Each structure stands twice: as C-alpha cells, then as structure tokens.
Amino acid sequence: MAGYLLFYLFLAFSSYFAIKKDLNEKYELPPDVLLKSNNIVGISVVAPAFNESANIVLNVKSLLSLRYPKFEIVIVNDGSKDDTLEKLIKHYSLKKVPFSYDEKIKTKPVRGHYKSTNPIYSRLLVVDKENGGSKADASNAGINSCQYPIFVCTDVDCILKKDTLLKLVKPFLSESKRVIATGAGIRASNSCEVKEGSLKKVRFPREWYPRFQELEYVRAFLFGRMAWSNINGLMLVSGGLGMFEKKAFFEAGGYWHDSLGEDMELITRMRKMMHEKKEAFVIKYIPESLCWTEVPATKEVLIRQRARWSRGLAQTLWLHKDVFLNPKYGITGLVVFPYFFFFEFLVPILELLGLIVVLISFFVLEVNLSFLFWMTLTIYLFFQSTTLISILIDEYLYKNYNNLKEIFWLIAMSLIEPLFYHPVNTFAYLKGYWLFFRNKKSVWGDMQRKGFKTEEK
Amino acid sequence: MKNGFYIEKIVVDFIIPILVIILSSVIILLVYNRFNIGIININRKIVGKKINTLLTNVVFDEYSDTELENRLSNFKYIVPLHQYWCKDLIIKIIIDTKANLKGFDDSKLTQVYEKLELHKYTYKFMNSPFWFAKTKAIYQFQMLDYKKSTQDIKQYIQHKNKILRANALIAYLMLTKEDLSFLIDYKYELPAIEELKIVEICKARKLKRPLKLKEFLLSNNNFLIRLGLRLSSYYNALDLQDEIIFTLKNTDKKVRKLAYFAIEKLYLYQSESLLIEQYCNETRGNKRRIVFALGEIGSQESLSFFEKVLERQKDKTEAFFIIKAMLNIQDDFFEGKNISKDIELSIKHISEPLLK
C-alpha cells in the first residue's frame, strides 16, 4: 500500500511541475499573430461517424468553425445504416469527386469521396466507406485520405474549443525533439448549453453518473496525464481528442483494426517504434480542457464503455508484453508499462481479492477490526485529497464552474464516489477482463447519446 | 502483531490527522476560492463598466491635458486601484480597446496607462527575479504598444532562458522599427514557431527588408539561415539566389527544406539541375519539397527525371505529387500515352476543381 501511495505522491509532484511549467509559459504566444500565417503547418481533423444522423449537420458546422489558418475537416461515414451521408450531401451540397486514394493503412473498401460545391465549405471532405466494425478502421480511412502532415483524431459529437488546433500544434512547432502526438483535457458535455454545435455555456452535469465522471476526468487529466506528460511517459492520448504526426502514425502502422482500445494501443506502438529507432521523441499534454463530449448517463452504458476500455487495456498489455521491464524501451519499458500493469490493470483484481480475503477472514481468522478501519480510512482520505486537489487546481486555473452550488456538488460527489461509483467502475473493469479472456467481440457506436440541450433561438 | 501496532499508531497519530488537515484545507480553499471568484466577478463587472466609460470618453471626447488629469484623479477614487486584480483589469481593457480601435488615435490610452501609474505596476514584473514574471511584463508592454519599454525589453533578447528570450525578441520586433539586421549577432537557436512569428510581424508591420539578409543566409547559426530563407521568400529577394542555392548544402534538413521552398517561391530556374541531383540523397519530406519546387521551375529536364522516378515510385502519395508537378510543367504531358489506372485517377483528381 505504501508503494501505491508513494507513487501517487510522485505523480502529484510531477503533475504540479507540469502545470506550473505550462502556467509560466502562458504569456508566450501573442494571440492572433499565427492565425494569419500562410506558412504554418496544415492540420487535418478526422472524425468518423456511424449512425450520427441526428446531430451530424451541426457537429460538422461546429468543426468547420475552428480557428486556424490552414485546416481541413475529414468526416468518415463508416457505412451508417441511417441517413448520415444523405444529410451531409443535402446540407453541404456535396458532390462525389474522383479521388486518388492511397490506402497506406488497409481498411474496408472506400465507396467515394465527397466535396462541397459551395466554396464556404471548401474545407470539408467526406469519405464514404463500408462499415468496418470499428472506429479504428474508419479513422484509418480518414487519415489515408487527409492531405496535411499533422492530423487530429476526434469523435464527430465532440465539441472543440475554437483555438484547439493552435494550442495542440504549438508543441510541434516549438519543441526541439520530434513531437509525435499531443493531447488535452476532455470534459463532460452533458447538460452544457450548445448552440448550433458550439458550446455556449459550460454547465455541471445534472445526472449522477456524468457528475462522477466529471470528477474522474478532471482527476485523470490534471493529476495523471499531466504528470506523465512531464516525464514524457504518456501512453494514452484520448480517442476524443489527440493530435498526431502523420509520418509517425503511418510508420507505426496506424490504428489497429482489431484493437479494443485503439488509442492506447496506437500510442504504445508509436512509443515502441521510436525506441526501436533510437530516436528522441515527445508526447505532450496540455492541462486545459479543449474538448467536451457526452459521457454515459446510465449505469448500463457506463459499464459497457468501461468494460470496453478495460478489455483494451488488457489486450494492449498482453500484445506488447515484450515491453514490460525491457530496458530497450527506456522509460516506456521500465516505468510506464509496469505502472499500467500494476496500477491500472491489477488494481480492480486486487480490490476484488482484498474484499474476498476480508470477508473470509471475518469467519476464519481473528481480524484486527481497528487496524482494518484505520487503514481503509487512510486510503479514503488520501484519494479524497487527490481528487479535491485536482478540482482545486482546475477551479483556480480555469474557473470552469458557475457557482458555489456546483462546487458543493463536486465535493459531495467526491465524498461518496468511493462508495457508489467506484464499485460500479471496478465491476465494469472486471467484466471487461472476463470478456477479454473469454475472447468476446465488441462493437463500436453502441453508446446511446441523448444529444445536447440546444438553446432556443 | 507488534509491527501492526506500530503501523496503526503512526497511521492514527500522524497520517490520518495530516490527511484530515489537507482535506479540510482543500475543501475550505475550494469554497473560499469560489466565494472570492463570485465577489471579484461582481466587482469586475462594476469596475469594468467604469473603466469602459472612462476609456470611451478619453478616446472620443477631446479632453485637454488638465481635463484628463482631473478625470483620472476622480477615477482613482471610484475604483480599487490598489488591488492587483483591478490594475490587471484596467490593463486588459486598455489592450482590448486598443485592439478594437483601428484607425483612431490611441495615444490617449497610453496616457491613461501612464497617468494611472500602471506602467510602474508592469515594471514591477519586469524587475522581478522570476523569468515568468518578466514575460508578463513583456506581454503587457507589447500588447499596449508601449514604445518606451523597447530598450528594457531588448536586454532580454539574449537571456539564458529560452522562453524569455523568445518573448523578448518578438515583443521587441513588435515595438521597434529597427532593422532586423541586429539579429546577425544572435547566438541562440529559436524554434520554428518564432521564425513564423517574425515573418508575420514583418508582414503586419510592413517592415523593410533587413539590410543584412545576405549575411543571415551565410551565418553559422541555422536559426538565422532558416529565418533568412523565410524572409527571402517574403521579400522576393531575387538578388540572393546564389546564397539561397548555397544553403542547399547545409547539413540541417530543415534548412534545406526551406531552401527548396524559397527556390519554388522565387522561381530560381537555374537551380533545376542541382535539385534533381539532390533528390536521391534527400529525406522523404525534402524529396516532396523538391518535387513541388521542380513543379514550378522545371523544364523538359525535370519531366524526363520525373518520368524515371515515377516508374520506380511505389508510394502512391509520392507518385501523386510527382504527377501533379509534371502536369504543372506541361499540362498535356500524359495525353496520348499509355498510362496506368492509378495515374489516370491521379490526373482526374488533380484536374478536379473542387479538390484544388
């Protein structure tokens, strides 16, 4: 237990230094100077869509309104069974065009490429393909079709801050080492006010599960990923928002079609490749929330999502087991990979075993109840502290919440999280491991979305 | 059991009280911080309105110096000027007003800044021992277009902290009309983002071409060579073609990439053979840049070269760019020729107006 606590303390300090570094540099960029540059590197924004008919038009509009001098939006219609493509064709006046498609990463057949006849939407490219049964396949088709050397992978329903591209591309232009990927914080968009696909007002989620996830996201991004970013040990850049160097992406082989957690698996492979080439590289995280996405609102959908994540974790760890404690892979092999094994993969199993041992001990052994109580309380207080410190940092820096009531809600949610939310999460992870070891197939696009609260005109 | 007893004692006597103190403090800070934000937001709204009214009057009503003095003396009593947040707010509103006042005389705003002694506040940051505080001061001076700070900023251009020196350089260029040639003595390498910013500043401020642009291209500092190449493209420096071509021999691939770019932009036809010669030894990214350049400056020699390369080219994307360059040199090159389906599709793609 001491080891776990000490490692978390180490992460806390690392995160503190990363955030401080970012804060110290906040006056670095004169705003708007680069927004007029025609020499700046171009960026492709790739967003796969599967049965997104309800919101696709507004989602694309939102992506097209990003502020950056040179970018394109590549929407991949992954064989939707609804009228996603028809709506895009109608609203954006799309026309099928002859396209020299270079299938650098093998995907399901691409049926065609579409461009708008309206010059206002000249940045939009729609790729229509047969359903490949995975987000990875759709993303690969989009990346095969995109024209710029850097691309962003996002979900079509994600709402990005207008200056997302400029913020994510900055490390690519300013780091002395080769930057292969960057990422930023993601937040829950449930209950946020959205107007025509753009975020109008950030609101604290009203439903219980999104509220717990809000806490979880802030903690994971500010406490975890920033810490790893500081020591260049990031092994996960979220599928919701990640910027990648196309060259490194192709060299690594792109998203793996059969992956259950394609984002983590891709970064692991990219890291391995760079270590094998003995080339210095950087994967950076920005402590600012740049993306809002709808998170599961019910227990059933949450369990399904988390079970998929945990299967992805187990699969990636198994697939790349040669990295484990292998000095050839530097920090990835000696620190990051073992961390994911001991701290991410094993923890749900240890929690279950711990519970079983405690229950059995009650009947078989003489349990020191006082000792058990104090140790449990210590862990509870420790994790409460880490969660609330993350919220404090977030509130202090970015002031994402509207009023005192929301802060009280966050504190209350944090206090009850270990009792109500954590067991559900642990169950989902264990279920995912079970499904992984039983080799069950998973499908993408199974998250039921409620859509946004759209402001009335 | 004894060990367990000691651990329990340490946990109960030390660790739990410490954690309880940390947790309670964080909760109190969270509530206090939010409470404060609420109050500051209300105050900011009230004070913001007063500042906006003052600045609008200052800009649009033509106050005499005494009148302005009186207005500002009164203003000092109606806002909490001793508070840092208030000073920051006034500076922010002055910056925003300046940005929105295109075509108006904004010297009055600088007067307000000085008469409220906000420049002393900014100088406090400038004189701080912490580099990040200095960057805040530099940022404020730069955004306020406060020319008097130019020399104070210049001293940090060669500072050992890379962020501070980059910020100082950009701010200095924003504030001064000094010829960029002073950079010839620059001893550091700055990242690509600063090169882009400098070019954009030259464009926005319509700065004259540096007198020592030639020396930039011949410098030992690769940052200066890269900047020189970017500036050569921007200033259409046709007289520097020999120096630009000379940079093709540089060992830094980024320098060579920018050299190909400059050759393309300046249509340096005489470098065609040299580019063809360099193609085989180049990195993948630079090969593509050579193709783009030859697409602009190439002749029959390039077409013959491309034909051979295309035959061997396995990469469809690279082949696409070669075909595009060939069509750029001679748009009917493939007409009447027996071509593969891939080349045919590439031609259709290139000819499609919606994909241009």
Side-chain angles (χ1 to χ4, degrees):
Chain A
M1 189 185 84
Y4 273 69
L5 295 184
L6 282 175
F7 201 85
Y8 274 107
L9 273 177
F10 161 72
L11 285 183
F13 279 110
S14 179
S15 176
Y16 166 78
F17 287 114
I19 293 167
K20 190 173 180 301
K21 188 168 176 271
D22 189 79
L23 270 183
N24 287 347
E25 293 175 11
K26 75 174 171 178
Y27 291 106
E28 189 184 1
L29 197 72
D32 296 344
V33 170
L34 289 174
L35 285 179
K36 290 167 194 157
S37 173
N38 49 15
N39 292 319
I40 201 163
V41 62
I43 299 170
S44 303
V45 180
V46 179
F50 176 64
N51 291 345
E52 297 278 356
S53 165
N55 292 313
I56 190 73
V57 170
L58 288 179
N59 292 336
V60 171
K61 203 172 184 179
S62 167
L63 290 173
L64 284 167
S65 66
L66 290 169
R67 285 180 73 215
Y68 191 75
K70 205 192 280 181
F71 75 99
E72 64 172 345
I73 303 293
V74 182
I75 303 292
V76 187
N77 176 47
D78 193 27
S80 297
K81 287 168 195 148
D82 63 6
D83 59 345
T84 302
L85 182 65
E86 288 71 22
K87 277 197 170 169
L88 284 170
I89 291 174
K90 194 178 165 206
H91 188 87
Y92 293 104
S93 318
L94 299 180
K95 187 191 150 199
K96 198 169 184 176
V97 288
F99 196 95
S100 172
Y101 177 69
D102 185 5
E103 198 179 36
K104 282 210 158 44
I105 311 285
K106 188 104 184 115
T107 65
K108 283 275 174 186
V110 168
R111 294 189 284 229
H113 291 79
Y114 293 80
K115 285 288 286 181
S116 176
T117 52
N118 186 343
I120 299 171
Y121 306 123
S122 62
R123 292 183 195 274
L124 177 64
L125 173 72
V126 173
V127 182
D128 181 34
K129 68 179 276 286
E130 284 177 17
N131 183 264
S134 72
K135 188 187 162 189
D137 192 64
S139 300
N140 284 337
I143 298 155
N144 283 339
S145 306
C146 67
Q147 59 169 314
Y148 293 124
I150 290 175
F151 69 88
V152 165
C153 250
T154 185
D155 293 327
V156 79
D157 62 306
C158 281
I159 302 170
L160 307 184
K161 256 193 179 177
K162 298 294 169 223
D163 54 355
T164 297
L165 300 183
L166 197 57
K167 289 204 164 142
L168 285 179
V169 82
K170 209 183 112 191
F172 285 89
L173 299 171
S174 56
E175 288 285 332
S176 48
K177 286 181 193 161
R178 181 176 168 190
V179 179
I180 56 168
T182 55
I186 295 180
R187 300 294 274 267
S189 66
N190 308 50
S191 306
C192 287
E193 258 180 44
V194 176
K195 189 180 180 185
E196 299 200 332
S198 297
L199 200 66
K200 195 148 188 294
K201 189 155 193 178
V202 176
R203 284 194 191 283
F204 186 61
R206 290 196 188 90
E207 290 147 312
W208 285 85
Y209 279 99
R211 278 178 177 174
F212 284 125
Q213 287 167 84
E214 173 90 7
L215 271 182
E216 205 184 18
Y217 274 51
V218 176
R219 185 177 50 211
F221 286 107
L222 279 181
F223 225 79
R225 302 227 182 138
M226 282 314 293
W228 287 114
S229 174
N230 193 40
I231 54 169
N232 197 24
L234 272 169
M235 210 164 86
L236 178 63
V237 171
S238 303
L241 180 66
M243 187 178 269
F244 302 87
E245 187 204 68
K246 198 159 81 175
K247 189 178 160 208
F249 175 85
F250 283 141
E251 280 172 358
Y255 285 117
W256 180 38
H257 169 62
D258 289 328
S259 174
L260 304 166
E262 66 282 340
D263 35 14
M264 184 183 177
E265 200 279 328
L266 171 71
I267 294 290
T268 310
R269 212 153 9 96
M270 285 172 95
R271 293 188 74 96
K272 268 178 88 173
M273 178 195 77
M274 295 305 284
H275 285 299
E276 278 163 7
K277 283 170 68 179
K278 293 191 170 63
E279 197 179 330
F281 68 98
V282 175
I283 301 177
K284 275 252 160 193
Y285 232 78
I286 295 158
E288 191 178 339
S289 301
L290 295 177
C291 172
W292 274 259
T293 187
E294 194 179 338
V295 298
T298 63
K299 191 165 78 183
E300 291 70 31
V301 183
L302 176 80
I303 290 175
R304 208 152 57 212
Q305 184 200 52
R306 297 306 158 98
R308 188 163 51 83
W309 288 6
S310 71
R311 292 168 75 185
L313 173 69
Q315 187 193 44
T316 304
L317 292 175
W318 175 249
L319 196 70
H320 300 286
K321 54 187 178 297
D322 55 320
V323 176
F324 190 74
L325 292 175
N326 188 342
K328 180 180 156 190
Y329 296 110
I331 189 174
T332 313
L334 298 175
V335 183
V336 189
F337 209 82
Y339 166 85
F340 271 85
F341 179 72
F342 289 116
F343 288 74
E344 298 283 338
F345 175 77
L346 273 191
V347 164
I349 298 169
L350 287 177
E351 282 179 6
L352 178 70
L353 287 178
L355 191 68
I356 294 168
V357 169
V358 169
L359 287 176
I360 293 172
S361 304
F362 272 119
F363 299 105
V364 182
L365 298 166
E366 193 185 324
V367 177
N368 183 344
L369 280 176
S370 143
F371 186 76
L372 181 68
F373 171 77
W374 292 118
M375 294 314 272
T376 311
L377 183 65
T378 307
I379 294 170
Y380 175 80
L381 289 172
F382 181 81
F383 285 101
Q384 283 306 310
S385 303
T386 55
T387 304
L388 289 176
I389 288 171
S390 309
I391 299 289
L392 181 67
I393 295 169
D394 186 61
E395 174 71 349
Y396 185 67
L397 299 182
Y398 306 113
K399 301 170 184 62
N400 275 321
Y401 303 103
N402 293 311
N403 49 45
L404 203 54
K405 193 176 149 193
E406 289 185 355
I407 295 295
F408 279 129
W409 265 116
L410 271 172
I411 296 170
M413 300 312 287
S414 165
L415 294 174
I416 61 170
E417 186 202 4
L419 304 172
F420 295 97
Y421 179 73
H422 189 72
V424 176
N425 215 1
T426 306
F427 168 74
Y429 265 74
L430 291 168
K431 186 182 169 189
Y433 295 161
W434 174 250
L435 292 172
F436 172 72
F437 290 118
R438 289 192 57 208
N439 218 3
K440 284 255 183 182
K441 252 185 108 58
S442 81
V443 286
W444 86 285
D446 56 358
M447 170 155 157
Q448 292 142 17
R449 302 194 189 282
K450 290 190 164 186
F452 301 114
K453 174 185 168 19
T454 304
E455 202 202 40
E456 283 175 30
K457 284 185 195 170
Chain B
M1 279 307 278
K2 253 189 172 177
N3 277 346
F5 173 76
Y6 284 124
I7 293 171
E8 190 177 332
K9 197 164 162 46
I10 292 168
V11 166
V12 175
D13 291 350
F14 298 102
I15 298 177
I16 289 183
I18 291 170
L19 287 173
V20 169
I21 291 167
I22 293 174
L23 189 60
S24 326
S25 315
V26 173
I27 291 176
I28 292 166
L29 275 174
L30 258 172
V31 175
Y32 174 76
N33 186 51
R34 174 42 61 181
F35 187 71
N36 246 353
I37 292 170
I39 292 177
I40 288 178
N41 279 349
I42 294 168
N43 287 337
R44 280 173 73 97
K45 261 190 190 168
I46 298 167
V47 174
K49 270 185 191 168
K50 289 176 184 167
I51 302 165
N52 274 319
T53 314
L54 173 86
L55 295 183
T56 316
N57 291 339
V58 166
V59 173
F60 295 107
D61 299 348
E62 293 197 353
Y63 293 143
S64 65
D65 281 353
T66 5
E67 227 174 329
L68 182 63
E69 200 78 53
N70 291 338
R71 290 249 164 194
L72 291 177
S73 314
N74 292 337
F75 181 74
K76 281 179 190 170
Y77 293 107
I78 56 167
V79 295
L81 201 56
H82 58 283
Q83 302 262 22
Y84 287 160
W85 67 261
C86 181
K87 287 180 182 169
D88 277 328
L89 183 66
I90 300 175
I91 293 173
K92 187 186 173 294
I93 295 178
I94 295 177
I95 290 171
D96 292 345
T97 314
K98 269 196 177 236
N100 295 327
L101 273 182
K102 297 265 156 63
F104 284 87
D105 174 24
D106 58 9
S107 60
K108 283 266 165 70
L109 294 175
T110 312
Q111 275 186 42
V112 173
Y113 175 67
E114 282 179 337
K115 285 190 194 297
L116 291 175
E117 297 188 332
L118 293 169
H119 61 301
K120 288 185 183 169
Y121 172 69
T122 309
Y123 269 114
K124 251 188 200 173
F125 291 109
M126 192 70 140
N127 298 328
S128 157
F130 301 109
W131 67 266
F132 46 87
K134 291 181 198 294
T135 61
K136 181 176 178 175
I138 290 171
Y139 172 82
Q140 290 186 348
F141 284 142
Q142 176 195 316
M143 298 308 287
L144 288 161
D145 200 23
Y146 193 66
K147 303 256 185 309
K148 289 178 190 169
S149 65
T150 314
Q151 289 312 311
D152 301 307
I153 290 173
K154 196 179 182 182
Q155 60 176 312
Y156 295 112
I157 284 177
Q158 303 266 16
H159 195 271
K160 62 179 192 282
N161 182 287
K162 62 177 182 180
I163 294 164
L164 178 59
R165 69 171 174 256
N167 285 18
L169 177 61
I170 296 300
Y172 183 71
L173 294 177
M174 294 279 251
L175 294 172
T176 181
K177 281 266 180 191
E178 188 181 339
D179 187 291
L180 277 182
S181 301
F182 74 90
L183 281 174
I184 196 69
D185 300 323
Y186 203 67
K187 56 185 182 195
Y188 294 105
E189 278 238 17
L190 291 179
I193 196 165
E194 308 304 332
E195 295 163 23
L196 290 170
K197 281 188 211 167
I198 293 172
V199 176
E200 288 314 306
I201 290 167
C202 290
K203 279 187 201 170
R205 302 199 63 219
K206 297 186 174 67
L207 296 180
K208 281 189 185 155
R209 180 182 138 171
L211 293 170
K212 291 187 178 170
L213 186 54
K214 184 177 169 181
E215 282 79 357
F216 281 17
L217 294 171
L218 301 172
S219 161
N220 290 325
N221 181 345
N222 281 345
F223 160 67
L224 286 182
I225 303 176
R226 289 196 301 269
L227 180 65
L229 286 165
R230 286 187 193 275
L231 292 173
S232 298
S233 306
Y234 172 62
Y235 288 109
N236 211 18
L238 285 166
D239 56 314
L240 299 178
Q241 38 191 290
D242 290 344
E243 287 75 17
I244 292 170
I245 292 169
F246 175 73
T247 62
L248 290 176
K249 298 288 169 205
N250 196 294
T251 49
D252 181 350
K253 63 178 180 185
K254 288 179 195 161
V255 169
R256 295 198 306 275
K257 191 174 184 178
L258 285 170
Y260 300 132
F261 183 75
I263 287 169
E264 179 191 339
K265 291 287 156 201
L266 299 173
Y267 301 101
L268 302 183
Y269 296 98
Q270 67 275 34
S271 54
E272 183 182 10
S273 304
L274 190 58
L275 294 196
I276 291 171
E277 214 174 276
Q278 295 232 146
Y279 183 86
C280 293
N281 304 319
E282 264 302 359
T283 62
R284 210 180 126 170
N286 280 3
K287 273 185 179 161
R288 194 181 284 183
R289 274 267 53 112
I290 291 179
V291 171
F292 290 159
L294 288 177
E296 291 298 328
I297 64 162
S299 63
Q300 203 56 44
E301 188 189 353
S302 294
L303 281 175
S304 313
F305 168 70
F306 280 147
E307 235 183 330
K308 280 181 217 150
V309 177
L310 194 59
E311 267 174 31
R312 297 193 303 263
Q313 187 56 259
K314 297 243 167 58
D315 189 305
K316 212 173 157 183
T317 307
E318 300 311 318
F320 174 83
F321 288 115
I322 291 169
I323 295 164
K324 196 174 180 181
M326 291 170 88
L327 289 174
N328 217 17
I329 299 168
Q330 188 184 328
D331 58 2
D332 61 351
F333 181 82
F334 292 101
E335 265 175 37
K337 286 196 168 129
N338 191 16
I339 50 171
S340 68
K341 274 194 172 173
D342 279 346
I343 296 179
E344 195 184 326
L345 185 59
S346 294
I347 296 169
K348 278 184 184 168
H349 181 144
I350 294 158
S351 317
E352 172 58 53
L354 295 176
L355 289 167
K356 283 198 194 296

